[in-house]
Each structure stands twice: as C-alpha cells, then as structure tokens.
Amino acid sequence: MLPILISFWILYVQLCLCFSEAGHNNNNGTYNVVDCGGSMHHQNWKRHVMMDSNGLYWLQWWINLNEKMIIFEVKVNTQGFIGLGFSKDGRMSGADIVLLWVDDRTGQANALDCHGSIDSSNGAPIQDDTQNYHVIFGHQNDSHTLVQFTRKIDTCDPYDMPLTGDTLKLIWSFGDTDPVYGSLKGHGRNRGEKSLHLLSPMFQKHSGETDSSDSKWDVTVNNVTIEPSMDTLYWCKIVRLPKLTKKHHIIGYEALLSRSGEKQTNIVHQMTLFECQTNFYPGSDPASWDVWVKSSGTVCNSNLLTPRDWDSCSMAVAVWSSGSMGQFLPSHVGIPMGGSMGVKYYMLEIHYDNPNGKKSVDHSGFRIHYTHNLRAYDAGIMISGISISDTQLIPPGQKLFRSVGICGPSCSSVIFPQNGIKIISGTIHSHQAGRKMSLRHIRDGKELSRIIEDDNFDYRYQQFHQLANETVVLPGDYIITDCAYETIERKRPTFGGYSTKQEMCLSFITYYPKIELAGCYSMTPVREFFEMFGVSQFYSLNMTDVENLFLYNGNLLDYIPKRASPRIRENHLNMTVEDLLYEESLLNKLVISEPVEFHDRTFLSHLIQLPWSEPLFTKRVEQELINGKHMTFCRISNDSISIPSEIIRFPNFTTFVKPAGTCLNRLFINSAELSSNGSRLLSDLALSLIFVGMGLPLLFELIQAKLLYTFCIIRFQND
C-alpha cells in the first residue's frame, strides 16, 4: 500500500511541475523576496486606480507576501451591488467574478464568489461551489459603498483565475440595488473593462519630493497633418532643453495626446524622446540644431528628408506605447538632464497609425517631470530585441510562432560596469500579432527567472512592467527578447517593419547606473536568411550588395538596373494597405537568378509559395531562425566608443523551470474543459475509488492513465 501511495504522490508532483512549465501560472517573482545583489526590493506597495472615466469606481490593492494573498478595496458611487471580475479577454463569459454589497437592512458587507457562464456572454454570474473571497470590512453612506476583501493569489479553485504577472483585463460593474441571486438587472451603462498588471507596483509622481521641487517640460509636435492616404507615418521633431545650468533628474513622464474627429480618437501608436549628440559626426555644424528646433520636423529615417546628424539621437529618455500611462521612477533613481556638460537637444519621434484613413492634425508629445533634488543614481533606458528588418519573418496561419532578439556578451562584457546594471522596469513592444512576450536572462549557461513574462500580451495595453525586485544583469550575461505571434487569419507571411501590419520585437529597459548603451539588437544574418529558403543569387547583385541594402538602408536603384527590376503596378487605388506593403517591400524587388528552379521569381513571391500550412516545415523554420546564427549590434551613444557587430549562435543554456505548483486541479483551468471532460474525469475517479476492492494497484494504474491522458489533451490544445 505505502509504495503505491508514494508513487501516486510522485505522479502528483510531476504533473504539477510539468504543468507549471507549460501553462500560464507566471508568478515571475514579483511578490517573492529574493537576493538581487544589493538592488532594491519594493515590497510594501499599494496601487490605486480609477476604473471608469468619471471617478465613480475606484480600486485599491496590495499584496500580503507571507500569506500569498491579495487585498482589494473598492469604493464606488452606489448603494447597490459592485461587480469585479478577472478575465484574459475582457469578456464576462468564463470570467472569475466577485459580487460585493453592504446589506441595506443589517449594514453587513458581503462578497459572493462567482464565475461567468461559458454558455452565455450576457448571462447572470453563477455562484462558485467554494467561497474564496472574504470580506475584511465594509460600509456605505448616502452616496458610496466601500468594501475591503481578500483572496489567495492562486486559490486552486478551477473557477478562479490565478493572478499572475500577465496582462489581465479587470471587468467592473455596479448597480443601484443589492443583488438578488439569478437577477442582476439594472447595471445599465455602469460597466467596463481595464487592463492592468495586477502584481506589479506602480511608482507615483512624488516619491519623496515635495510638489514645489517637481517641474514640468512639455515636449510636443505642432500641427502635424496626417493625410487619409497615410496608413503609417513616423514624424521627428528636434527640441531644445530649457536652460538648466545645473544637473537635474527626470523622475517620470506622461503622454500628452491630442484627439480629433467626430469620435475624438487618437492615432498615436508610439512615442520616444531621444537625447542627441551634436558633435557625433565629423564636420557637423552645431548651429544647425537651432535651425532644426524652429522647424516643424520631418519624416523620420528618410534618406532624402532626414538630416544625417539626427542619427546621433539614439539614447531614449521617455517611451510611450498604446494604452500606457507613462512611467514614474522609484525614489532612488532619476534620468539625468541639464547641466553645463549635459545634452541640450532632443528628438521627439511619433509613430502615427491611421488604419481608417482619416485626416488628422496632431499636437501630441510628452510631459516630462523633473526635479533639482538629485537622486542617488542616474538611470537610463536602452532598447533591445530584434533589429527592424524584413529578415524577421512570421509565417501565415500560425497559432504561435516565436522570434528572438539577443543582447549578448559582445555588448554586456564591454559596456556594462563590473557590478552590472539593475533593471527597474521594462516593456516589450510588438504590433497586432503579438501574443506572448518575455525578457529572458542567461548567465553561465543557465537561465535565471524571467525579468518580464506576459503570456496574455495585449498590443493595445503596453504599460511598463515595474519590477517589485530589481534584476541585476552582469557583464557577460545575455538578455533575450522572446516574442510569440498569432497569424491564424493571415494568408501571407508577416515581416518585421514599422507599420502595425508588420511586426516588431523590442524591449525598452529602464535601468541604473546609466551607461552609454543606447541599443543592443540582433537579426538573422542577411546571407543566411536567403540561404535558409534555398536562394543563393539575385540578378545584378552579389550577396554583399544585398547585405548592404538591409544593413545600411540602401537604395535599391543604386544597385539594380531598370531592366532587371520587377514590374511595379501603376495603379494603387484598389490595393489594400497589406498589398501596398508587399508591393513596396525590398523583398519584392529582389529577382532570383539562382537556383535555376526559382529564377525570375521575386524573393517575396518565392516565400509566398512555400508550404506554410505544413507544421513540420514551419517548425523547422522557427527553430532555424531561433537556434541558428544571429548578427548582434551594440549602438553606443558616445562616438568615442565603438563595438563592432559580430555573428553568434543562439546560446546553449539550461531553461528556467518555474517552481512546481500545488494545485492538481489546475489541470482543468480551461473552463470549457472543466465543464465537459474535467467534471467527467472527477466523477470517474470518484466512482473508481468506491470500488477500491477491485485491487488498488489496478485502480492506481487507471487513475494514472486517466490523469496523464487528460493532461496531454489539455497541453496539446494549449500548445
């Protein structure tokens, strides 16, 4: 009997461990106390968020690390019920929900643990079998209801969602009357959703400073016109810093977004503010910068329109993407600005995404908060990931397809200080196909815990992940930006590029102490990229010419005679944005000469014809792009330092395994699986236990087979 029970326990632990590796229980250490080599641990933080747009619904929460518990407090302008739910997609169907109210007669605060019906998106919440939400206290007055309550971070209840470091959508509602089970009518328009990183702290505007020490600098564009024909526009504007004779610290920043049109929408997708080095290039005229300050700006990264000197604007000091609220820094760090030796000119880069073809006039930008009360450390922001290029390829029809960008020892060993850098926060940026994002950390052949991990990425909510425990990255370490994309509905390959119809895989990392590293990227080497798909030569071009086109933003007309260029359609009126991107792609202008079986095709048409519907083929391409060669780049903001690019292979390392979970029934976290196969499995097991007299060894084998079968089915579906 005892050996069999021990075997069953081993099976239990193995299943929990295996599920913790493959599933979505991504605690990522944000509420664990760890040794970070002298870096800060932000343990006693609270978050306070307005859930609606009118200040009627406020949510506050904090974490009890010892109990692995989260404490919530809601304050809502109602005397009736309050609803709060957790969902991956923002829908009530299958959501984890709690209903809260203060009884009008007794004054007692109540919490009812519920879940959304998977059969009806608008059905009333269904009460859970187990109550995992517990009231601490609550009261109501003539206008408001306040309830404070708790729940475990992971309750092990299959109807409750584990609260992780992923992006969660919190759904909220409230009504005028206390709830009656089975009927929750009356909430009307008092409902909505809000994306949040629930287990991350959020530093506030004034962390130790008085209001009088906080100054503001508004950096905006002026009257940038986006025409209906412009699907994507990158606009750059040079600005001059206010006169600051002494060094100051940027303590945070917010977005200033202008809105236009009947629906008062905003078409800004991303903004970055860069420092500029005025003497970066030999022969540069410092007086030119004041001339550029007076101009309204120009198209970014244009060989014809953008002055070469603007390439020196590479060190980011503020980054904003869709859905973000900006970021404020913890009280021990600030980004330096001003002073006699400090940077005087900055470049504001704004990416406009105009999928609906509307005309807009924009005045957006940043509000920079800074102080003369210097903090202990100078901070910086570096950009890492995949260099933006057509060599980033994502096949069509994929449930998940990974791409990685490497920042390796060629950068970290040369430019990182001996004690390393300490990462405060980060955000991973992709476009519409992005689904799962992580920032991985490799040292001495072993992967450490993920710096950032978001298995429910939403490109419309790209808020910085503030780290509760800062991460130390040492010289010689690797940082890998790992992005996974879904292209189920796409019929043609997706490539890296600047449009939101194309893709990116970039991480913006805030750290200290500040170093001269503006960017640390990698890409598939150009020659290997073409050889991967069986192409060895193009008309009128050798591979060195092709490499120069990709690496140095060359002009194809400098290399290809008109007679060898593929024919371009003259009429673009009936073409979609995707068609135009394909038509104008560099890959569509490279005509294959070798091998002979592909000759006279453009490389793009060659790619489209590949068997992307074959899983073995796409998996091989994915593995070659990940595990093959990578060309790495270190972009240094100081012209006195030069680090050459190099070609490396993806490093060999032992993958980080998350600690085993303790919830066996997390096998059935999929609500649909629970309602069918899961409940049937539990009843089968219960029935088997009744007939234990049939022989315990045989019974154990049946249970083991049933558990492993169901687990494999669920894992296969998740993969």
Side-chain angles (χ1 to χ4, degrees), residues 2-152:
L2 183 59
I4 294 173
L5 292 176
I6 293 173
S7 298
F8 185 84
W9 176 250
I10 292 172
L11 171 67
Y12 170 85
V13 172
Q14 287 175 337
L15 287 173
C16 290
L17 176 62
C18 190
F19 184 81
S20 71
E21 293 178 37
H24 304 284
N25 187 15
N26 302 318
N27 297 337
N28 92 10
T30 53
Y31 48 82
N32 293 324
V33 178
V34 295
D35 182 8
C36 288
S39 58
M40 297 292 291
H41 309 276
H42 307 285
Q43 300 176 20
N44 300 316
W45 53 266
K46 288 187 177 183
R47 295 278 303 273
H48 195 216
V49 172
M50 184 174 70
M51 301 293 284
D52 66 329
S53 58
N54 299 311
L56 302 178
Y57 194 125
W58 287 89
L59 175 68
Q60 184 173 232
W61 72 96
W62 57 98
I63 293 173
N64 183 325
L65 290 172
N66 295 328
E67 301 293 332
K68 294 185 178 179
M69 180 179 292
I70 189 164
I71 302 98
F72 294 97
E73 183 177 290
V74 292
K75 183 178 181 182
V76 183
N77 187 13
T78 184
Q79 291 181 305
F81 77 85
I82 301 168
L84 182 66
F86 307 96
S87 169
K88 288 191 173 183
D89 55 14
R91 294 183 295 181
M92 186 172 173
S93 176
D96 176 10
I97 299 170
V98 60
L99 296 177
L100 308 152
W101 73 97
V102 174
D103 192 286
D104 294 333
R105 294 172 297 143
T106 65
Q108 179 179 351
N110 300 275
L112 188 66
D113 192 347
C114 303
H115 61 274
S117 168
I118 63 172
D119 299 319
S120 173
S121 59
N122 296 315
I126 302 169
Q127 185 175 358
D128 287 8
D129 297 330
T130 305
Q131 179 73 21
N132 293 304
Y133 292 88
H134 305 286
V135 171
I136 299 175
F137 69 85
H139 59 81
Q140 68 182 16
N141 56 27
D142 292 340
S143 62
H144 285 78
T145 296
L146 183 146
V147 181
Q148 190 177 107
F149 61 99
T150 67
R151 64 152 281 184
K152 292 283 188 181

Side-chain angles (χ1 to χ4, degrees), residues 217-222 224 235-242 272-278 285-301 305-314 343-350 364:
W217 175 37
D218 289 351
V219 184
T220 61
V221 294
N222 185 30
V224 175
W235 192 261
C236 287
K237 168 84 172 78
I238 301 297
V239 296
R240 185 180 177 115
L241 185 73
T272 309
L273 184 65
F274 296 97
E275 294 179 350
C276 301
Q277 304 292 332
T278 55
D285 182 5
S288 298
W289 292 88
D290 284 324
V291 176
W292 293 326
V293 167
K294 297 175 183 177
S295 75
S296 60
T298 189
V299 176
C300 308
N301 304 315
L305 300 175
T306 310
R308 187 190 67 160
D309 288 25
W310 293 18
D311 289 341
S312 72
C313 306
S314 61
V343 171
K344 294 180 173 56
Y345 299 93
Y346 292 76
M347 182 178 75
L348 174 61
E349 177 188 88
I350 300 183
S364 297

Side-chain angles (χ1 to χ4, degrees), residues 312-327:
S312 72
C313 306
S314 61
M315 180 74 79
V317 297
V319 177
W320 178 93
S321 297
S322 297
S324 173
M325 294 174 286
Q327 94 167 311

Side-chain angles (χ1 to χ4, degrees), residues 373-390:
N373 292 329
L374 297 183
R375 296 178 166 187
Y377 301 99
D378 287 348
I381 297 176
M382 71 172 178
I383 307 172
S384 191
I386 301 177
S387 183
I388 300 171
S389 165
D390 286 316

